[in-house]
Amino acid sequence: MPKKVYIETYGCQMNVVDSEVVVSILSGAGYVPTDNIGDAGLILINTCSIRDNAEQRIWGRLKAISHLKKRKHDVKIGIIGCMAERLKEKLIETDKLVDIVVGPDAYRELPLLVAEAEAGHKAVNVLLSREETYADISPVRMDKNGVSSFVSIMRGCNNMCAYCVVPYVRGAERSRNPESILKEVKDLYELGYREVTLLGQNVDSYKWDSNIETTGFPELLEKVAMINPLLRVRFSTSHPKDISDDLLHTISRYENICKHIHLPAQSGSSRILKLMNREYSREWYMDRVNTIRTIIPDCALSTDMITGFCTETKEDHKESLSLMDWAGFDFAYMFKYSERPGTKAARKYKDDVAENIKSERLSEMISLQNKLSAQAKKNDVGKVYEVLIEGFSKRSDEYLSGRTSRNKVVVFPGGGLKKGNYVKVLIERCTSATLIGKSI
Ligand code: 5AD
Ligand code: SF4
């Protein structure tokens, strides 16, 4: 009987790919993945530390699965990823349920660590690395649709945003060898995938030096786009201080590079941006958006925003709202500031915006963004977009669902078409989340 591993993933898309890498490494040691937690001899939780509530959710989840261990004593539970890195041995000490703790750069050691745990010892490895990119490992794809997938192009982060735990839990930035990226993307295309998203904490600083040439992000993106015009390419995340005109020209030159940029602003106040150590001002951000609109006129834009960062005043908050309104973001992820131990903000500034004010500002921001998103969708009505079909719509098998290059979900009646196909769709109306149309 093969040993079974169940893996649950929290946090960002990087973690999704990491889980696929982990399954690949464990399959080399005789494990097969299972969707049924009750069946598994090994349960892994790939964790996120970005905000306190992300960690609280995982503590809650650990409690919820404790009965499995009481029922079957030989089940091993591992905490892997960012929270493993942040809390280290503390996890094992505070929670007797946990047998294995492995940080994001130590996944190659997992088979050994699991064996140690099976022999009755606690197993921990949270060493960070300056080189590890798992370049040679083919992730075992666990997405359900077989159409779009993520490809990691770099790991870690060298920016020191004052609020952010990522550099501490994922280590220094390192880029992955472009050959291994191109091979992985080609393999995905051969398998029938029609969309890849290149992932990194700050893709604009991707850089690989071989003896012959230097590959920056624009060159890498171009090479990926040239693999096949039927393969859509997306990427995330760009940093406003680093996104170059060169990159924007590359995006505009290739039809199959999606016209959507996720460009986290975080705040609209230059004073707060300075405290956040973002290394750009409100004016710089606006200039970048203007340049995007000039070079790629039909580009969709999305952002991340934090409300209630240390010392944020009502005026700072108004500036965040006015920046969002000015940019007319198609989409935004919005968060209340959550102090993370060890970060610059935690060490140097007071988390002095009251919880109820943070909540008030967040709901104001969300209602503004709802208006902007609705407006962005209304603007699409009456237009024709090319849609890559990802599968049936959630509500009905008579409708297909896919996305436009600008990353909007489109639902339409889909006689004779199937996932992975491209189809031109006339947008007839929209709901708050979806565009609805007919194929033409
Ligand atoms: N508190 C709230 N939001 C945060 N983010 C990162 N760190 C924090 C924090 N301490 C948000 C940022 C980032 C996104 C991934 O999470 O907006 O872009
Ligand atoms: Fe991803 Fe950051 Fe959460 Fe780690 S802490 S899983 S890098 S979002």
Side-chain angles (χ1 to χ4, degrees):
M1 280 283 277
K3 297 179 276 188
K4 289 189 181 159
V5 54
Y6 173 88
I7 183 161
E8 205 164 278
T9 306
Y10 294 84
C12 62
Q13 297 159 341
M14 297 290 265
N15 262 16
V16 173
V17 177
D18 279 5
S19 288
E20 297 179 335
V21 164
V22 163
V23 170
S24 176
I25 290 169
L26 285 171
S27 62
Y31 276 88
V32 294
T34 172
D35 284 340
N36 181 353
I37 194 168
D39 255 8
L42 174 62
I43 298 169
L44 296 178
I45 306 187
N46 195 356
T47 57
C48 174
S49 283
I50 197 90
R51 282 168 292 275
D52 185 56
N53 57 10
E55 290 193 350
Q56 292 312 325
R57 241 182 107 197
I58 288 154
W59 286 117
R61 187 62 187 141
L62 266 171
K63 215 183 238 156
I65 62 174
S66 59
H67 68 282
L68 293 169
K69 200 142 174 178
K70 287 189 194 117
R71 221 176 52 205
K72 248 177 38 188
H73 289 291
D74 54 347
V75 173
K76 299 295 169 208
I77 297 182
I79 297 289
I80 65 173
C82 298
M83 194 173 160
E85 191 62 48
R86 197 179 83 74
L87 296 174
K88 305 189 168 75
E89 288 87 353
K90 245 191 255 159
L91 268 165
I92 279 184
E93 285 156 20
T94 46
D95 199 318
K96 299 278 173 279
L97 272 179
V98 178
D99 307 287
I100 305 161
V101 173
V102 186
D105 285 347
Y107 295 147
R108 287 181 202 267
E109 297 296 311
L110 260 168
L112 234 103
L113 294 163
V114 174
E116 240 174 75
E118 280 169 351
H121 309 295
K122 298 287 179 186
V124 181
N125 187 336
V126 288
L127 286 178
L128 289 173
S129 153
R130 293 197 159 266
E131 286 96 38
E132 183 62 270
T133 58
Y134 301 108
D136 56 313
I137 293 177
S138 303
V140 172
R141 298 300 171 183
M142 292 191 293
D143 59 273
K144 300 278 183 255
N145 71 16
V147 176
S148 69
S149 188
F150 302 115
V151 174
S152 161
I153 64 163
M154 58 206 295
R155 297 180 73 81
C157 185
N158 281 357
N159 297 319
M160 279 290 164
C161 301
Y163 49 79
C164 189
V165 77
V166 171
Y168 305 92
V169 293
R170 296 191 82 97
E173 181 184 291
R174 65 225 97 117
S175 295
R176 177 179 170 190
N177 169 349
E179 267 74 57
S180 71
I181 298 170
L182 294 172
K183 180 178 179 306
E184 189 174 318
V185 177
K186 280 180 197 152
D187 289 349
L188 284 168
Y189 185 81
E190 296 299 320
L191 284 170
Y193 284 85
R194 289 296 174 264
E195 182 179 276
V196 292
T197 304
L198 307 180
L199 293 179
Q201 297 296 343
N202 179 5
V203 291
D204 308 286
S205 61
Y206 175 89
K207 196 168 174 224
W208 181 266
D209 276 312
S210 73
N211 294 331
I212 309 152
E213 58 174 357
T214 300
T215 308
F217 187 56
E219 293 85 38
L220 179 74
L221 187 61
E222 177 156 41
K223 283 180 185 166
V224 174
M226 279 163 56
I227 288 175
N228 196 303
L230 284 178
L231 181 75
R232 274 188 178 176
V233 191
R234 299 183 185 276
F235 56 89
S236 188
T237 298
S238 301
H239 196 302
K241 79 175 162 61
D242 295 320
I243 189 166
S244 66
D245 292 7
D246 202 12
L247 177 70
L248 302 178
H249 286 295
T250 305
I251 299 169
S252 89
R253 264 203 311 278
Y254 289 86
E255 183 83 17
N256 60 331
I257 301 181
C258 291
K259 304 297 178 268
H260 167 222
I261 298 178
H262 185 60
L263 194 67
Q266 311 297 2
S267 169
S269 149
S270 292
R271 188 184 71 83
I272 293 292
L273 287 168
K274 193 152 200 263
L275 280 182
M276 286 177 164
N277 210 20
R278 289 288 288 173
E279 296 182 41
Y280 57 85
S281 61
R282 176 187 176 93
E283 291 68 35
W284 173 276
Y285 188 90
M286 292 171 85
D287 174 70
R288 291 287 76 205
V289 171
N290 281 332
T291 309
I292 292 170
R293 303 253 190 255
T294 312
I295 300 176
I296 320 164
D298 55 344
C299 193
L301 265 185
S302 56
T303 189
D304 293 346
M305 299 296 288
I306 297 177
T307 68
F309 186 66
C310 314
T311 79
E312 187 188 72
T313 61
K314 213 169 159 180
E315 282 64 44
D316 295 317
H317 170 61
K318 287 231 169 81
E319 287 201 87
S320 288
L321 297 179
S322 74
L323 181 75
M324 293 171 76
D325 199 31
W326 173 84
F329 292 116
D330 295 76
F331 187 81
Y333 294 102
M334 295 156 284
F335 313 102
K336 282 193 268 187
Y337 171 60
S338 161
E339 186 177 86
R340 307 313 292 132
T343 56
K344 182 180 173 201
R347 283 182 280 116
K348 300 224 161 131
Y349 316 137
K350 226 167 114 197
D351 181 12
D352 58 357
V353 178
E355 191 55 31
N356 64 322
I357 304 278
K358 283 183 187 171
S359 300
E360 235 171 66
R361 290 182 187 169
L362 181 65
S363 22
E364 223 182 311
M365 204 174 247
I366 292 173
S367 54
L368 168 63
Q369 185 54 46
N370 285 344
K371 266 202 293 199
L372 297 175
S373 298
Q375 191 54 50
K377 286 196 191 71
K378 276 198 200 112
N379 291 344
D380 287 343
V381 174
K383 295 187 186 147
V384 173
Y385 287 104
E386 186 166 66
V387 172
L388 171 61
I389 303 172
E390 291 173 12
F392 293 115
S393 89
K394 277 189 212 125
R395 297 245 176 92
S396 149
D397 281 1
E398 280 164 31
Y399 282 78
L400 292 170
S401 168
R403 272 177 303 150
T404 65
S405 164
R406 296 161 47 93
N407 211 23
K408 297 232 174 56
V409 175
V410 180
V411 166
F412 58 97
L417 293 159
K418 55 181 201 299
K419 66 180 179 181
N421 288 166
Y422 286 97
V423 56
K424 291 242 183 332
V425 177
L426 170 67
I427 309 301
E428 295 176 311
R429 58 197 174 89
C430 60
T431 67
S432 61
T434 320
L435 300 174
I436 301 162
K438 62 170 186 221
S439 65
I440 55 169

